[in-house]
Amino acid sequence: NRHKSLVIISGASRGIGRAIAFAITDAVQEPIRDDDDDDDGKSRMMAAPLRMVLMARSAESLVETARLVDQRCTGGDGGSANVAVTTSCHAVDFSDLDALPEKLQRILEPLSEDEAYESCWLINNAGSLGPLGLASSVDGGSDAMKELRNAVDVNVTSSIWLSSQFARTFLSTASAPSSSTAHDEKSPLVRIVNISSLCAIKPFPTMSIYCAGKAGRDMFHSVLAKEHSTRSTQNDKESTTENDESCRKQIEMLKVLNYAPGACDTRMTDELSECSNLDAEVHQYVTSSKQENKLIRPRDTAQKLVKILCLDEFQSGAHVDYWDVIEAGE
């Protein structure tokens, strides 16, 4: 069957990325709706059949994520071929900037040409912790510059490139004539989620590189949202020629979310708890939270994120934290 939705998840080989893949799979099979779901846009949120594209550096771990997604669709019995989610895996090293542009082009362009989707989603999750230590001692060690460059490449540069290319690719399909007569000729909903952190808006001692990377990602995605929101408002006020109207509809289809998943029980928190360079107070918080089972389970924060996305009521460009959602009783 023709896929109605497309979801691309970077960093999908483990942790939060894998948990988001599971949460999306579950939501597609049992759609999340609010009490007033007559709105046409909401009815198009992550509709099945859904194509899920998984990206990360480890091909072996991606295959395992895909296997587990397929298992959730079939109930583990090898089930029917007519499943809600179909997966594909792409090994992508987000630290290799020389190869990244061509690699992403080979992934994105066929996806945009193959089918006319009702909604297209990017979960921009790939990232790394990077070097830890005092901000005044970033130059420590013979490989300090290489480590700093690698952290920026993974956490900022590749993230910006991925979101920019995704937006360019799938917003361009909104104004292009569809080759599929089965398509309802509506522009696809385009949604971009940057997996953020409290570190993007609050300084944590000895985590300056990670904080700077998350803050940079947040600001890029906020600007992306602002640019399209501003252009949409301007086009509303201008003449409504056919071209202007097409442009206005295209721009309104884009929304961006910076989502901070909270302190989760992942390999990253394991690294923090084992780090000797970490600020004592931060280290105490991480280790005690882990020992007392107070860290958020990846599946819990993933489910909250997917609910936010399916309801589609968030303000484009906003920074939303897991605990904001919990405190709001959602």
Side-chain angles (χ1 to χ4, degrees):
N1 293 335
R2 180 181 67 87
H3 292 95
K4 293 184 177 180
S5 307
L6 168 70
V7 175
I8 298 175
I9 307 174
S10 71
S13 59
R14 56 186 171 92
I16 293 172
R18 178 177 284 181
I20 292 172
F22 294 167
I24 289 173
T25 301
D26 294 344
V28 168
Q29 297 181 95
E30 296 181 10
I32 297 171
R33 303 287 178 87
D34 63 7
D35 294 333
D36 180 18
D37 62 358
D38 290 334
D39 179 81
D40 181 65
K42 289 180 183 176
S43 69
R44 299 162 67 194
M45 296 291 106
M46 291 188 183
L50 179 144
R51 173 183 283 187
M52 181 179 290
V53 178
L54 306 172
M55 297 192 296
R57 185 168 53 184
S58 171
E60 182 178 356
S61 296
L62 280 178
V63 169
E64 177 64 8
T65 299
R67 185 189 69 80
L68 293 170
V69 166
D70 294 344
Q71 189 177 74
R72 293 176 95 87
C73 289
T74 62
D77 59 1
S80 167
N82 186 24
V83 296
V85 179
T86 56
T87 59
S88 61
C89 300
H90 299 271
V92 179
D93 184 352
F94 286 96
S95 68
D96 186 357
L97 298 188
D98 290 334
L100 188 63
E102 183 179 354
K103 184 81 172 181
L104 289 180
Q105 184 178 17
R106 291 203 307 266
I107 296 170
L108 294 176
E109 285 193 357
L111 289 172
S112 68
E113 295 168 355
D114 286 350
E115 301 188 61
Y117 305 100
E118 294 180 5
S119 61
C120 301
W121 307 74
L122 170 65
I123 311 297
N124 195 332
N125 169 63
S128 67
L129 193 54
L132 300 168
L134 295 173
S136 57
S137 302
V138 172
D139 61 345
S142 58
D143 294 328
M145 180 58 74
K146 182 178 179 180
E147 292 176 357
L148 176 59
R149 179 182 297 167
N150 184 73
V152 174
D153 287 350
V154 173
N155 292 330
V156 183
T157 310
S158 66
S159 171
I160 289 175
W161 189 265
L162 175 57
S163 287
S164 178
Q165 296 307 300
F166 178 86
R168 179 186 64 82
T169 299
F170 292 101
L171 284 176
S172 66
T173 65
S175 57
S178 171
S179 60
S180 171
T181 57
H183 189 240
D184 62 6
E185 299 183 355
K186 295 177 181 177
S187 299
L189 300 172
V190 178
R191 300 291 181 263
I192 297 175
V193 180
N194 166 47
I195 298 301
S196 183
S197 169
L198 181 60
C199 292
I201 59 176
K202 180 180 179 180
F204 284 83
T206 65
M207 296 183 67
S208 59
I209 307 305
Y210 184 74
C211 289
K214 287 297 186 181
R217 285 171 67 138
D218 259 38
M219 184 54 70
F220 171 82
H221 287 90
S222 295
V223 170
L224 176 62
K226 182 68 173 179
E227 287 174 347
H228 286 268
S229 174
T230 300
R231 288 168 59 195
S232 179
T233 301
Q234 290 173 343
N235 281 331
D236 280 339
K237 296 177 180 178
E238 293 173 357
S239 62
T240 56
T241 65
E242 183 177 348
N243 288 338
D244 287 339
E245 186 69 11
S246 174
C247 183
R248 182 181 66 80
K249 288 180 180 178
Q250 171 187 337
I251 293 168
E252 288 179 337
M253 289 293 99
L254 173 69
K255 290 179 72 174
V256 182
L257 175 66
N258 293 305
Y259 179 73
C264 294
D265 190 5
T266 62
R267 188 178 299 181
M268 185 173 289
T269 50
D270 289 341
E271 291 177 26
L272 288 172
S273 65
E274 297 166 1
C275 179
S276 60
N277 294 333
L278 195 63
D279 174 76
E281 186 175 341
V282 176
H283 186 269
Q284 174 60 29
Y285 171 78
V286 172
T287 54
S288 62
S289 295
K290 190 169 185 65
Q291 291 168 358
E292 297 169 13
N293 293 320
K294 292 183 178 179
L295 293 173
I296 301 165
R297 295 180 300 180
R299 71 179 184 185
D300 291 337
T301 196
Q303 288 169 355
K304 291 296 181 185
L305 170 60
V306 171
K307 183 175 181 180
I308 292 170
L309 297 180
C310 288
L311 296 180
D312 201 41
E313 296 172 349
F314 63 89
Q315 180 181 351
S316 186
H319 176 103
V320 176
D321 192 280
Y322 170 83
W323 292 110
D324 296 336
V325 181
I326 294 297
E327 290 171 6
E330 299 178 10

